[in-house]
Amino acid sequence: MSAPSLSSTTYQRRAPLMSRLTEVVRTMWDLGFISFGGPPVHFQIYHKRFVDGYKWIDEQTYQELFAICQALPGPASTKFGFCITLIHSGFIPALLAFLLFSLPGVLGMFALSLGVSKMDETLPRPVYALLCGLNSATVGIIALAAVQLGQRAVTDKVSRALLFLGATAGMLYNALWYFPLLMVIAGIVTMSYDGGLGPKALLYSKNLFKRMRHRQSNSDRPVEEGLGDGAWTSSSVKEPVAAHRRSSGPAVNEELVSQNPESQANEVNEVNEVVEGAATTTANKNKVFPMPLAITIVVGFFISFIVILVLRAELKSRPIGLSLFANLYLAGTIIFGGGPVVIPLLRQYIVDEGWVTARDFLLGLAIIQAFPGPNFNFAVYLGSLTALNSGSLPSAIGALLAFIAIFTPGMLLASATITFWNELRSRPWVASILRGLNAAAVGLIYTAVYRLWEMGYVDENHANGSSLGRDPWWVVITATSFVGTAWFGFPAPFSIVLGAAMGLIWFVVVNAGQSGAELLGTAMMEL
């Protein structure tokens, strides 16, 4: 018997809490064990299960939640599952769904940290080769995630340009404030463009270009009527404006609309019908909190963020627990684009502080890709190692502090935004801003690919990591991971394991000058 549809959300919230919790366990218990492959795969699993299967949400709500979760900071796919359950069953069942999705990976990464802390400072050479293979395959998987998410985020030339500029700008500079600034700029650009400034600038540029050509040609032909004073005829504007309306949705400046009253009315009515239809399809279904409570959540979050920033800046000698929590709370607040982006940025917040060695960071980075659940679980591994290396904090406390700090910002903002969204979704400028945020967020995933590539090679002489471009073989592994997953349907864990095996093959080939017995003996002794 299928679960109730979204239209019965109100009934679901009136149902006894225990029955709602039981339903969540029955429908989501396995997600923490089967959700390999990162956000792109997670989103596909959610669609198949909760749109096509149980019908907890409809297609339009799915697409809107996807945009919201990409635009907000924090773990995108984790917030997505949380919000689906929040809409369908309420807040406490949503917390249970979050734990079901994340805890298996959390426990695995915590156990890994305990094992890594007991390793020698220098690893056997075959292990370094294996790690380089894992990291190379990881880059391929994340690059594929960027491509797949980009196919959804890019809807027109403006979003395509923002994706490109976000990726390149992120490669050129790195700071705590920089990535959020890029996101804000992208949102302002799409809002301005959809509001009419974009088409107007395009037409002005075309006008200027024609005038320049006219002057340079020294032709006696008269300029087309209206070009000299910036006015445009209906035929020169009608198609660009109509195409812009169809691609972006929000209405453009009336000065740019065709002078044909009937055509103008039809275009305006078409846009209004789309907006009104979007506003009424799921009206009042996504308001999970009273508006005052939602506002209180957002205000409380920003107050906590400011307090943590002040403590982080002003306290000269902070306890390691407070420093760890502050850094990861900050990371969870300013990281857009989900798991692929969080990994290279955590290097700055953890490794650059001297809490975890670059080697241990890269080892965990290689293995997290083969774990189910959110990539943000990597913070648990780092928190545990930070506590172990400091000697002043139990490893379990460090892991718990990291878990709470990295996930809390995104979950709080997502919870409140679901309530606000019902009030904002009918306003074209909101959709425009989301479009820009999505494009920039995907661009930052390409930045993550670059940064992971530049630190993925590790051996006894490069403990801090260096570029995988040192040897063409690592390029081959990256390409194999990308192509195998994208074209031949390799599961992400299989691609990661294949990369590790290819890394060991590289080790054998490079040491082929030794006899087979000597090579085997060397490898066994080093292991």
Side-chain angles (χ1 to χ4, degrees):
M1 178 176 169
S2 63
S5 66
L6 184 60
S7 60
S8 60
T9 298
T10 302
Y11 170 79
Q12 282 294 321
R13 299 223 187 95
R14 290 174 181 170
L17 176 61
M18 187 55 64
S19 65
R20 285 180 282 150
L21 293 174
T22 302
E23 181 188 26
V24 168
V25 172
R26 187 177 67 251
T27 56
M28 306 184 74
W29 69 270
D30 59 332
L31 290 182
F33 299 95
I34 67 171
S35 298
F36 296 94
V41 178
H42 299 168
F43 288 126
Q44 294 170 8
I45 292 173
Y46 288 139
H47 191 282
K48 183 176 181 180
R49 182 164 298 197
F50 298 113
V51 178
D52 299 335
Y54 291 110
K55 301 188 184 303
W56 281 14
I57 59 174
D58 56 22
E59 181 65 31
Q60 180 176 330
T61 303
Y62 176 92
Q63 295 298 333
E64 292 180 357
L65 285 180
F66 178 82
I68 292 171
C69 292
Q70 290 292 331
L72 293 174
S77 59
T78 307
K79 294 198 302 283
F80 198 89
F82 176 83
C83 289
I84 290 175
T85 313
L86 188 65
I87 291 171
H88 179 75
S89 302
F91 181 72
I92 295 179
L95 284 179
L96 176 61
F98 161 64
L99 293 175
L100 290 173
F101 181 65
S102 59
L103 277 184
V106 165
L107 296 177
M109 293 308 293
F110 177 67
L112 177 66
S113 70
L114 298 180
V116 168
S117 66
K118 298 178 181 179
M119 290 183 177
D120 294 332
E121 183 175 350
T122 301
L123 298 175
R125 287 187 298 155
V127 174
Y128 285 120
L130 183 144
L131 288 177
C132 291
L134 286 172
N135 286 334
S136 300
T138 296
V139 171
I141 294 294
I142 297 178
L144 177 59
V147 171
Q148 292 174 335
L149 291 173
Q151 291 171 346
R152 294 190 181 99
V154 172
T155 58
D156 58 6
K157 291 182 179 179
V158 176
S159 55
R160 185 177 290 112
L162 289 173
L163 189 154
F164 170 75
L165 293 174
T168 53
M171 293 177 189
L172 296 175
Y173 187 69
N174 184 32
L176 297 179
W177 53 268
Y178 185 58
F179 285 3
L181 178 62
L182 292 179
M183 302 285 291
V184 171
I185 292 174
I188 293 174
V189 168
T190 47
M191 181 182 67
S192 301
Y193 183 89
D194 292 348
L197 295 180
K200 183 180 291 186
L202 180 65
L203 296 178
Y204 177 80
S205 299
K206 187 177 180 180
N207 178 17
L208 181 62
F209 178 70
K210 283 190 174 183
R211 283 188 289 179
M212 292 176 62
R213 287 184 59 186
H214 171 69
R215 292 170 182 170
Q216 292 175 359
S217 65
N218 294 321
S219 172
D220 294 331
R221 290 179 304 165
V223 182
E224 183 179 348
E225 183 180 357
L227 291 180
D229 59 3
W232 286 84
T233 63
S234 175
S235 60
S236 66
V237 180
K238 182 175 180 180
E239 286 304 317
V241 172
H244 174 68
R245 285 183 179 276
R246 288 192 297 269
S247 65
S248 62
V252 297
N253 194 307
E254 291 299 330
E255 296 177 2
L256 303 176
V257 181
S258 168
Q259 301 301 315
N260 185 330
E262 182 179 353
S263 174
Q264 177 176 340
N266 290 338
E267 290 177 1
V268 172
N269 289 337
E270 180 182 351
V271 174
N272 289 339
E273 287 175 4
V274 171
V275 173
E276 291 172 4
T280 57
T281 299
T282 56
N284 298 320
K285 294 175 183 177
N286 295 351
K287 188 178 287 187
V288 296
F289 293 128
M291 186 61 70
L293 178 57
I295 295 174
T296 301
I297 291 174
V298 173
V299 172
F301 163 74
F302 281 108
I303 291 175
S304 68
F305 180 66
I306 293 171
V307 169
I308 288 175
L309 280 182
V310 171
L311 291 176
R312 185 176 183 270
E314 297 299 327
L315 291 181
K316 301 302 181 183
S317 57
R318 301 186 303 270
I320 187 64
L322 176 61
S323 297
L324 174 67
F325 185 88
N327 278 22
L328 291 181
Y329 196 86
L330 178 62
T333 302
I334 70 171
I335 291 175
F336 295 83
V341 177
V342 72
I343 292 172
L345 291 182
L346 284 179
R347 180 185 176 97
Q348 178 181 354
Y349 305 144
I350 301 295
V351 177
D352 291 356
E353 295 280 359
W355 299 338
V356 174
T357 65
R359 185 211 69 178
D360 291 349
F361 180 90
L362 291 172
L363 194 154
L365 164 63
I367 296 178
I368 184 64
Q369 302 302 320
F371 271 59
N375 287 338
F376 272 58
N377 285 340
F378 189 44
V380 173
Y381 167 84
L382 297 175
S384 176
L385 280 181
T386 297
L388 289 168
N389 293 337
S390 71
S392 61
L393 199 67
S395 59
I397 298 299
L400 181 62
L401 287 174
F403 178 77
I404 294 173
I406 198 74
F407 281 105
T408 296
M411 295 304 174
L412 286 178
L413 291 176
S415 300
T417 302
I418 295 301
T419 295
F420 294 138
W421 183 244
N422 190 59
E423 305 296 329
L424 297 175
R425 63 202 302 276
S426 61
R427 298 174 183 174
W429 61 269
V430 176
S432 297
I433 291 175
L434 283 179
R435 187 161 60 88
L437 293 176
N438 277 345
V442 176
L444 294 181
I445 298 180
Y446 283 97
T447 295
V449 172
Y450 167 75
R451 296 191 183 281
L452 291 173
W453 176 265
E454 287 300 302
M455 66 181 187
Y457 181 85
V458 59
D459 61 13
E460 59 271 20
N461 298 319
H462 300 87
N464 291 326
S466 61
S467 175
L468 289 167
R470 296 173 61 89
D471 192 300
W473 186 243
W474 311 123
V475 182
V476 171
I477 295 178
T478 299
T480 301
S481 174
F482 183 98
V483 171
T485 305
W487 293 357
F488 298 98
F490 291 173
F494 177 81
S495 296
I496 297 295
V497 172
L498 179 61
M502 294 176 71
L504 292 176
I505 291 173
W506 174 87
F507 174 78
V508 172
V509 172
V510 168
N511 293 275
Q514 301 182 45
S515 67
E518 290 176 339
L519 181 60
L520 180 61
T522 300
M524 293 298 294
M525 289 178 62
E526 292 186 353
L527 289 172

